[in-house]
Structure formats: C-alpha cells, structure tokens
Amino acid sequence: MIHSLFLINSSGDIFLEKHWKSVVSRSVCDYFFEAQERATEAENVPPVIPTPHHYLLSVYRHKIFFVAVIQTEVPPLFVIEFLHRVVDTFQDYFGVCSEPVIKDNVVVVYEVLEEMLDNGFPLATESNILKELIKPPTILRTVVNTITGSTITAEIQGVIDACVKLTGMPDLTLSFMNPRLLDDVSFHPCVRFKRWESERILSFIPPDGNFRLLSYHVSAQNLVAIPVYVKHNISFRDSSSLGRFEITVGPKQTMGKTIEGVIVTSQMPKGVLNMSLTPSQGTHTFDPVTKMLSWDVGKINPQKLPSLKGTMSLQAGASKPDENPTINLHFKIQQLAISGLKVNRLDMYGEKYKPFKGIKYMTKAGKFQVRT
C-alpha cells in the first residue's frame, strides 16, 4: 500500500525518508512543494495530491509534514490515520516529536517504521507491542547511535549503457518514470538534446554495438540511500599484546534485493603482527607483510548476517596505534538502481520489424569506506 515516507520540515527540507516496496525518488516531492507554495499556510496544503504515477498523502504535525507515497488508489483516511499513528508513536517513544529528536534517534526511528509496516501494509501500530519488539532509546543507545550513525559524504555515479544490434535506421525514444531525478546529465552525441529539454524524453538514432547513452550523478548525501551497514568493534589496549577485531555486515535500503559479491578489505596498522579470525561465512586472508586483511563474504543472508571475529597479535612493547583502520566494501546488487531511476518505455520508429527489448539494473559499490 505505502511505498515510501518522507519527513519534511517547515523550511521544505526532506530530513528523513523510508522506503518499503521500492525506492521512490525524492523528485516526487516536487509536486508537494508546488502545492505548499500555493497554500497560504502549512495547514492549507491539500492532504491528498495526485501525481502522474503516485498519490501523495500528508499530515502536518509538530511543524513537520509526514508525506506518504502510494501508487494505487486506497481509502485516503486509512493512510492519514496511519500517519497520525506514526506521529503518536514517535511522541510516545521520545517524549516529543521534533526534527532534532528524530535525527538524534534515527536508528530507532527506522526500526520502528520497519515494524509498523510490513511490505507497505500496517503490521504493528500499538506502542505497547512495539516497545516489546524495539526498546525505547536509553542514554547509552543514543550515544552509540550518535557515534556510529552518521554519513560523512555520499554520492551516486550512474550510467545507462546500451547494446544495440538493429538493422536499418531505427529511431528510438526512451522515457523514464521519474525524469526529474536526472539533473546533472552527460549525453551521447546521438541524443537530441532539444527534445530532452522540452519533454524529458531521450530521442536518438543509435550507433551499432555497445555505447554509453548517458551518465549522471546524485551528489547530495541526503539523497543517497546507503544499501549496506557495517557494525564494528575494533579495539587496542596500551598494556596488552592482543587486540579485539569484530565486524558484521548487513543489508539496508535494498528493497528485498540480495547483496552479492561482497568483499571486505582493511589496511591494518603496522603494529599488528598477525590476526586470528573466524568468519561465519566466506574466506579471509591476512598478509603479515603488507598488513592487508581481505574477507570474501559472498552473498548476505538477512536472516544470518555474516561476521568476522577474533583477535589481533600486536608487537610487544609498541604503543597503541594512533587510529583504527578504515574498512572498505565492494558489493553489487542485481536488478536495483539505488538512485531510484526507472525506465518507463522504449519505442522504435522508422523500421517495421519488432525488436527484442530488455533492461537490467545494477548497483555497484564504488569507493565505500567505513571509518572505525
């Protein structure tokens, strides 16, 4: 029922988003912002806003707009009542429902929303039941989340690569479900730029074979849904020749898709002589000369998260390393574009035969680092 939820402050900034069924681009909120500009006051924004492919249903409480995105017609009061229940739950959990409080407890917020909706449909909405599943934040948990929950910088580099093997002079048009997402774009010379400017449709006569139709990037970190997370416990002691090493990798914002080809690498400090580690899955190596740790994880099973645990042997008498190592991740996700870009349709003109058409989405990690 509900695909996504966006939380928007009174300044018009989206400060939190949650997706259940699929990633809906933030560009859908442009329709909400247009309605907000037409309204004289925040309370006058229409609670139901139709868009070409979605409906936006919203409530305004505590100077925050809670905007739900749905794709099919449902009783609007049903969704609006659920949004009010979300606000009441936040208030019950945190004592007050405000932007700073939600940001400070973002991990708990995501956990609560995950339990309140199952695949987009309401599941657990009573506070007493939720508190049995997810404990309200304590001072210790708040400190841990503050230390480990922040993204320093993130961006998406996206491309559309084409493989065309058509006879004659076919004229192709390619349209997207959410063309507003594409702001910073570089096109292949075959693309008719004026048509893109006026209609947001790619019109082109393709060259033969493989070529890059366009490339784009999303640079604002709050637009980037991070698909994986790493929990880590890496510690060194001044008076001990042993250190503790423990990392766990899990999925996040993957819309049910499998994360595969996962490889974790880390350049360990010079003082580490050797490592005695046990992986729950996959294989690992540590080179005592280069101090490089590599863990080939494979696929991530959400029901049994992969972990690598053990100890580090340190050089006797050496001081504790100045800083903990950085963890690097490599992975890919089939049939998912983390940017949210979706192709609507591809049409061919100028030739009478019927072509075979196919599309494949893929997300790959570029330079994905976790500072410990």
Side-chain angles (χ1 to χ4, degrees), residues 117-155:
L117 280 182
D118 178 31
N119 201 31
F121 290 88
L123 180 63
T125 58
E126 297 295 333
S127 287
N128 56 344
I129 297 176
L130 286 167
K131 286 180 178 177
E132 290 296 320
L133 300 170
I134 304 161
K135 299 301 180 186
T138 60
I139 294 176
L140 177 60
R141 182 169 185 177
T142 301
V143 170
V144 171
N145 291 343
T146 302
I147 294 173
T148 62
S150 60
T151 301
I152 298 174
T153 181
E155 71 170 1

Side-chain angles (χ1 to χ4, degrees), residues 281-299:
Q281 72 176 63
T283 58
H284 79 285
T285 59
F286 175 72
D287 189 328
V289 177
T290 62
K291 313 298 182 184
M292 178 61 71
L293 170 67
S294 179
W295 176 27
D296 190 339
V297 181
K299 294 182 180 179

Side-chain angles (χ1 to χ4, degrees), residues 140-181:
L140 177 60
R141 182 169 185 177
T142 301
V143 170
V144 171
N145 291 343
T146 302
I147 294 173
T148 62
S150 60
T151 301
I152 298 174
T153 181
E155 71 170 1
I156 292 172
Q157 297 282 352
V159 300
I160 297 180
D161 286 333
C163 178
V164 178
K165 297 179 180 179
L166 300 172
T167 58
M169 289 289 289
D171 202 326
L172 306 183
T173 61
L174 179 66
S175 62
F176 301 97
M177 297 286 288
N178 42 8
R180 291 181 180 217
L181 176 70

Side-chain angles (χ1 to χ4, degrees), residues 136-321:
T138 60
I139 294 176
L140 177 60
R141 182 169 185 177
T142 301
V143 170
V144 171
N145 291 343
T146 302
I147 294 173
T148 62
S150 60
T151 301
I152 298 174
T153 181
E155 71 170 1
I156 292 172
Q157 297 282 352
V159 300
I160 297 180
D161 286 333
C163 178
V164 178
K165 297 179 180 179
L166 300 172
T167 58
M169 289 289 289
D171 202 326
L172 306 183
T173 61
L174 179 66
S175 62
F176 301 97
M177 297 286 288
N178 42 8
R180 291 181 180 217
L181 176 70
L182 296 171
D183 290 328
D184 187 3
V185 190
S186 176
F187 298 102
H188 188 275
C190 70
V191 175
R192 300 181 179 102
F193 185 65
K194 287 187 176 180
R195 180 144 188 210
W196 170 260
E197 273 193 316
S198 60
E199 302 178 51
R200 283 296 187 262
I201 290 177
L202 291 177
S203 175
F204 58 99
I205 297 176
D208 287 333
N210 298 303
F211 65 98
R212 180 151 294 173
L213 182 62
L214 66 82
S215 59
Y216 66 96
H217 82 269
V218 180
S219 59
Q221 72 181 48
N222 56 0
L223 290 173
V224 179
I226 305 296
V228 297
Y229 67 88
V230 177
K231 290 183 179 179
H232 53 82
N233 180 16
I234 302 173
S235 58
F236 304 95
R237 296 180 182 176
D238 283 320
S239 58
S240 174
S241 60
L242 288 178
R244 181 70 184 167
F245 185 92
E246 180 177 340
I247 56 175
T248 302
V249 184
K252 178 183 177 185
Q253 298 281 12
T254 61
M255 278 50 69
K257 304 294 184 182
T258 301
I259 301 176
E260 56 189 46
V262 180
I263 298 176
V264 179
T265 60
S266 183
Q267 180 69 54
M268 304 305 293
K270 293 181 180 179
V272 177
L273 299 178
N274 214 333
M275 303 184 76
S276 177
L277 305 174
T278 303
S280 64
Q281 72 176 63
T283 58
H284 79 285
T285 59
F286 175 72
D287 189 328
V289 177
T290 62
K291 313 298 182 184
M292 178 61 71
L293 170 67
S294 179
W295 176 27
D296 190 339
V297 181
K299 294 182 180 179
I300 294 180
N301 180 1
Q303 279 69 48
K304 190 179 180 182
L305 299 180
S307 63
L308 183 65
K309 303 178 182 179
T311 58
M312 299 176 284
S313 300
L314 307 177
Q315 192 172 349
S319 58
K320 181 174 73 170

Side-chain angles (χ1 to χ4, degrees), residues 34 60 72 92 95 113 136 171 203 210 227 267 289 314 349 357:
E34 291 171 5
Y60 180 70
T72 56
D92 189 32
L113 290 174
D171 202 326
S203 175
N210 298 303
Q267 180 69 54
V289 177
L314 307 177
Y349 305 94
K357 296 181 287 187

Side-chain angles (χ1 to χ4, degrees), residues 327-341:
I327 298 171
N328 300 281
L329 262 76
H330 304 272
F331 59 85
K332 60 183 178 181
I333 308 171
Q334 303 280 1
Q335 296 304 323
L336 174 68
I338 208 69
S339 63
L341 184 65

